[in-house]
Amino acid sequence: MKKKFSRIIAMLLAVIMVLTAAPMAYANDDIASGTAGDGVNWSISADGTLTISGEGEPVVGWYSTPWYDYNESITAVVVEEGITALADTMLCYLDNCLSVSIPSTVTKIGDYVFWSHYNLEEINVDAENDDYCSVDGVLYNKDMTTLIIYPANKADTEFDIPSTVTTL
């Protein structure tokens, strides 16, 4: 009788473990997510990464983004392939953001995208991007005639502006 009871308990525990583990396998670590226009999605993971994905240009209001309530928790921005623009002010006030990654598909970066990025250390642009590039975390237009932004919290003690730069 004891042996049969032990087997039943063991099987019951095994079933409970399987049932509680299954949802965990499908859970993600997003703390928030939503849309930013037709075909554009965003999510913020528990580690503070804002990921913008989908196709096209994100639609955000002037100083009003769908992730605004989470600005303080965002430490990195990853823009995925398919996104074509970074609209004015869409990344404003991400005071704790350290890095931004820009894919090859971005063809337009608004004037105030990096407003109030006091802790930004680097911007990385996919090498296949036809309009922008980054060298050592500094953002330029593709032919490096315009220095778009030097990250405010970059660790360098010195910086030499490339001779190709004619506009800051």
Side-chain angles (χ1 to χ4, degrees), residues 3-158:
K3 211 174 201 181
K4 190 175 183 180
F5 182 72
S6 294
R7 283 185 186 165
I8 292 172
I9 293 294
M11 284 186 4
L12 183 59
L13 287 173
V15 168
I16 290 172
M17 285 175 48
V18 168
L19 291 175
T20 58
M24 291 172 60
Y26 297 102
N28 62 29
D29 63 351
D30 291 347
I31 59 171
S33 62
T35 61
D38 227 9
V40 177
N41 302 303
W42 64 273
S43 64
I44 300 172
S45 64
D47 72 356
T49 301
L50 167 62
T51 301
I52 301 169
S53 60
E55 298 286 327
E57 182 173 345
V59 177
V60 295
W62 193 255
Y63 296 107
S64 172
T65 60
W67 49 83
Y68 183 83
D69 290 341
Y70 303 93
N71 278 3
E72 292 299 315
S73 64
I74 296 171
T75 58
V77 175
V78 174
V79 181
E80 293 187 346
E81 291 292 322
I83 299 300
T84 57
L86 303 183
D88 275 336
T89 73
M90 77 178 259
L91 300 179
C92 281
Y93 302 114
L94 300 182
D95 297 336
N96 296 314
C97 183
L98 304 175
S99 67
V100 175
S101 296
I102 300 171
S104 67
T105 52
V106 167
T107 60
K108 177 183 159 202
I109 296 176
D111 293 333
Y112 304 104
V113 169
F114 297 104
W115 184 263
S116 184
H117 276 240
Y118 304 116
N119 290 307
L120 189 62
E121 296 173 352
E122 66 180 346
I123 300 167
N124 298 299
V125 179
D126 186 293
E128 300 297 316
N129 189 299
D130 291 334
D131 298 287
Y132 301 98
C133 71
S134 60
V135 177
D136 297 327
V138 179
L139 180 63
Y140 301 90
N141 65 339
K142 188 63 172 190
D143 61 5
M144 292 185 63
T145 57
T146 301
L147 190 158
I148 297 170
I149 186 168
Y150 181 91
N153 202 28
K154 192 160 170 39
D156 296 344
T157 56
E158 288 185 11

